[in-house]
Amino acid sequence: MPAFLSVSRLIDSVSQFIGKTADYMVLFCCLISAGNATVRYLFNYSSNGWLEIQWYLFAYIVVLGAAHTLRNNEHVRVDLIYGSVSDKARIWIDIIGLIVFLIPACFFLAYLCWPYFVIAFQQGEISANAGGLIRWPVKLILFAGFALLVLQGISELIKRVAALSGYIQLETKYEKPLQ
């Protein structure tokens, strides 16, 4: 189990690094948006490339930040019974959800995204918009996001099994979002 926990810590550190990078991408996205709006209104000039880089950054923020969100236990849950059961039952619910839903679904989605990236890369696909950007980076981000979610799901699975085995203490408290 200690070797698995080492792997889990490595995956967690990668997810944390990419998640922190996604935090900065929010700032870059805002600066690009503000700069683009300023140039458009002051100089009556705009470029589709600036608009597209914003949604590339948004894709980075959302898709690659998802693993960081899972690592921090801040993802969306359907809280029908999770909040009213014991810690051990919560761990089992998480294990079943990871094995049955998250890991297979994200693995399948990564598998589906890979050919789209490869084709876009090989063909040098470019946006149809005038001044648009190359498309393969954002398609790679889709693949990488799902692949990172698979890895983070494996990390979470390792931590839950370790908690059930008594190797670590795991915080299972989940706070429902304010509505």
Side-chain angles (χ1 to χ4, degrees):
M1 188 54 70
F4 287 118
L5 287 170
S6 294
V7 170
S8 175
R9 283 190 293 276
L10 176 64
I11 294 169
D12 286 353
S13 64
V14 170
S15 291
Q16 182 176 12
F17 174 77
I18 292 174
K20 293 297 180 186
T21 305
D23 288 346
Y24 288 106
M25 293 300 151
V26 172
L27 174 63
F28 294 146
C29 197
C30 291
L31 291 174
I32 290 169
S33 179
N36 191 33
T38 301
V39 168
R40 185 173 55 241
Y41 289 114
L42 288 179
F43 303 109
N44 200 26
Y45 174 79
S46 185
S47 168
N48 286 326
W50 288 108
L51 297 173
E52 288 183 10
I53 196 69
Q54 289 176 62
W55 69 261
Y56 278 31
L57 290 172
F58 186 69
Y60 188 100
I61 293 163
V62 173
V63 176
L64 292 179
H68 181 62
T69 304
L70 178 62
R71 186 184 73 79
N72 289 331
N73 198 29
E74 295 176 348
H75 55 287
V76 175
R77 291 186 185 267
V78 179
D79 186 22
L80 298 175
I81 57 170
Y82 196 84
S84 61
V85 296
S86 69
D87 287 346
K88 189 173 182 179
R90 287 180 187 163
I91 291 172
W92 275 108
I93 290 169
D94 288 344
I95 288 172
I96 292 167
L98 289 165
I99 292 173
V100 175
F101 298 110
L102 184 110
I103 294 172
C106 289
F107 183 82
F108 182 65
L109 290 168
Y111 171 79
L112 291 177
C113 288
W114 181 253
Y116 288 103
F117 157 69
V118 171
I119 291 168
F121 182 77
Q122 289 173 338
Q123 294 178 348
E125 182 181 346
I126 298 175
S127 170
N129 297 321
L133 303 176
I134 55 175
R135 286 282 168 95
W136 67 262
V138 77
K139 292 183 179 185
L140 178 60
I141 287 172
L142 286 171
F143 167 77
F146 288 121
L148 190 58
L149 263 174
V150 168
L151 290 175
Q152 190 60 48
I154 291 168
S155 174
E156 297 303 315
L157 184 60
I158 290 169
K159 289 185 274 191
R160 270 121 185 109
V161 170
L164 284 178
S165 303
Y167 282 92
I168 63 170
Q169 290 288 338
L170 190 65
E171 178 63 45
T172 61
K173 182 180 175 196
Y174 175 71
E175 189 174 315
K176 285 186 0 182
L178 298 173
Q179 297 179 17

